[in-house]
Amino acid sequence: MTATVLSTTEVELEVVLEQKEVIADGVVLLTLRHPGDEPLPEWAPGAHIDLLLRENLVRQYSLCGDPANRAVFQVAVRREQAGRGGSAHVHDELAAGDLVRVRGPRNNFRLVEAPRYLFVAGGIGITPLLPMISAAEQRGADWRLVYGGRTQASMPFADELVARFGDRVSLRPADSGSSLELRKLLKRPGRGTAIYCCGPESLLAEAEKRCHRWRSALHVERFAAAAPADAGPATAFDVELARSGITIRVPENRSILDAVEDAGAPAMSSCREGICGTCETRVLDGTPDHRDSLLTASDRATGETMMICVSRACGSRLVLDL
């Protein structure tokens, strides 16, 4: 068993799939343990890990267990019928006792300090919110969860949440005629309320629309990339790799990441969709054309970093810390 240190907080290592159990219709919970029973890396609510399932098949899943339990990682995976093979691999091919390569943890969805929280989950989007809810409860914060899905049987952890927290949890399965009613939920969240929302793109886009007057209160995490509304045309440009000492041409039909890899320069990547943060790279000169679904408006305004898997250049040249 080997472990590769990627940063001060992120590692790549092999773990054992200790248990795989069905916890809802179409959803399995994976419990992963270090093969030598050593403590796993620390993480905080909102973190996710990469599962390196096989060559060119890497998927990100939110950690949904207890951050204080360093013995295991837990992730829940829904089978996506129209997916690209990751969830099918997890459901059909992984079995207890298998060795699985993981990378992380990485956290782009941190829980901020707030006196009150509104958690909004759609389907498997409940997973990153579970440790957040526990943390909010431990802090004595005022919080509530509104959780929707197709059917209650397809909503993982629904029964446990109601049993543990009672009327702080509102379940809204669509087959019972319920809906999340974001127009009412987000009409006026109240002073000091932090809103955390995770689920399908339709839910997140609606939440962003409803929160346009208090956008700073809303925190979202995407499982799929959102189409950038303000992306310019995909023109060619040059990228200087400051540490590698080379300049490469990025054509119209290729990403910076593709061009960097073609040149043999080292660069980390995972989702290749601008949602996981693995390829975030420091910009030393030039203006990025941000096309990711991760950086905040203030992050984009500074232009200090960019996701090289999807973002491009506003001008003819960028200098990157690669």
Side-chain angles (χ1 to χ4, degrees), residues 94-115:
L94 288 187
D98 286 352
L99 294 175
V100 183
R101 197 87 182 161
V102 302
R103 183 167 58 208
R106 190 178 307 112
N107 200 335
N108 307 309
F109 195 40
R110 295 186 181 276
L111 184 67
V112 300
E113 291 280 354

Side-chain angles (χ1 to χ4, degrees), residues 138-173:
Q138 290 169 7
R139 294 174 185 177
D142 181 19
W143 67 269
R144 62 176 175 140
L145 165 68
V146 182
Y147 179 14
R150 294 188 300 274
T151 67
Q152 189 161 331
S154 72
M155 296 163 62
F157 309 104
D159 294 339
E160 297 96 314
L161 284 163
V162 172
R164 183 179 176 190
F165 298 116
D167 59 7
R168 285 185 179 238
V169 176
S170 177
L171 301 183
R172 308 282 179 86

Side-chain angles (χ1 to χ4, degrees), residues 34 58 101 110 122 141 146 154 262 306 316:
H34 193 287
V58 181
R101 197 87 182 161
R110 295 186 181 276
V146 182
S154 72
D262 290 345
M306 66 186 298
S316 61

